[in-house]
Amino acid sequence: MSNEAKKEKDKGIHSYRLANGQLRWAYVIYVVREGKSRPFWFKGFTTKTAALEKKKELLRLKETLGPQFRPEAYQRRQNPRTYEAPNLHLFDKIVVQWLNTKETAYEAKKLSKSRLYACTRSVNDFILPTYTGKPMSEVTRASWVKKLDEMTAEGHSWHIRKQATSCLSIFLTYAADRGYIPVNPLLKMSSVLGEPPPTDRAPLTEEERRKFLAAARLYRDGKYYALVHGMLEGPRPGEQLAMEIDGFYPALNMIRLKWNYTQEGLKPLPKDQEERYLPLTTETTQLYIIQAERATREQLDAGLPPRWLFPNLQAEGDVKLYRDRKLREIFYAICRLAQIRRTVPYEGRTTAACTIYNNGGTLGEVMDHLGHSNRKTSRIYTKRAWRLGPRAVRPGPRPVDLLNLPVQPVTPATNELPTVIAPVASPRSRTKSLPD
């Protein structure tokens, strides 16, 4: 069949989506009434073929009946459900029913554990206090916009408001699918939330780093202190999460970055398609020595080989690592505790690059430290170095010495591996050579 014939065949067939995201098909037939051509739509077909066959059948009937043809008698409703009175159902009763089913906006899909936790938190903190005891008919766009204004006045960030709005929108889609309300009033969230904040990743100033690290020592009794401290050395978040104990060389103040862990899972090669070695400051090396001993003990007690430097024994599957989302949540919580601006994990990499460059490092040294293969990529980071003040004369022999992280020395002060960790060969004996 030629393209022209196919276009003529499909002429008048249109697709659209329901509130829950499902695809439906419709067709249109024109009938002359009072000297004017009027369109009559026939909606609700699950396949394009069904809509096309039904259209052919009605066109034949139209040709047979002539002026007596009445398309209204053959129109089918888009949604044949009968809606229950919204005033008969209280909001809090339906929202608990939804949380028990764990359904998303799309059928045959369930809320993930992290998404369910975020929705439960938003329901308890923001949504239920607003609509408890009220009928479903009072859950309107105007009432939620008023609530968002109150959240803004209370100091809640745009991201918190987005999370609560997304949760409420998923629930309203669930309610609309079951006939509790005619339609989801928050289907277009962008018109409710407004413009998102700028996403430019800025480096942390020395004062912000000091507050950030001080808060990291207090958060969960310092459980994630070594993890977030290492992020300020310049690795990618996925590389930081997937560090291995046998790739840590405390005598050389270096660690191997071999893996890149993302939301899709553990990838065998990082972004630049080769493993690399990251030089560490003395403070970070000492922290990693303590962390390596702790991580080895935890994995041996769980019956696992001591592989990961930052293991997450509660993770599902064979890869016992923290997810990217968990790392972001840790950063957000520490920023709130430190009372500084919201910071994402990748801004630790930006901070390292800008600090090295601002303290006298060259663009090539920044490129080597970050593992970039193109100087243009490194230039993107150094353009933000002006936020840290004027450039200084280089005081240290290594680029990593220019980081000058404002931390106190930690114990133990030795550069030897803990006794519970088996010694590993020097990385100079490997095929991948290290810089002198």
Side-chain angles (χ1 to χ4, degrees), residues 6-26:
K6 187 176 181 180
K7 289 181 180 179
E8 184 65 26
K9 175 184 176 182
D10 297 342
K11 187 177 180 180
I13 306 295
H14 304 270
S15 63
Y16 63 97
R17 289 193 179 274
L18 301 178
N20 61 2
Q22 292 182 342
L23 189 65
R24 291 291 184 268
W25 297 89

Side-chain angles (χ1 to χ4, degrees), residues 190-202:
S190 58
S191 62
V192 178
L193 289 169
E195 292 295 328
T199 57
D200 183 33
R201 292 170 180 155

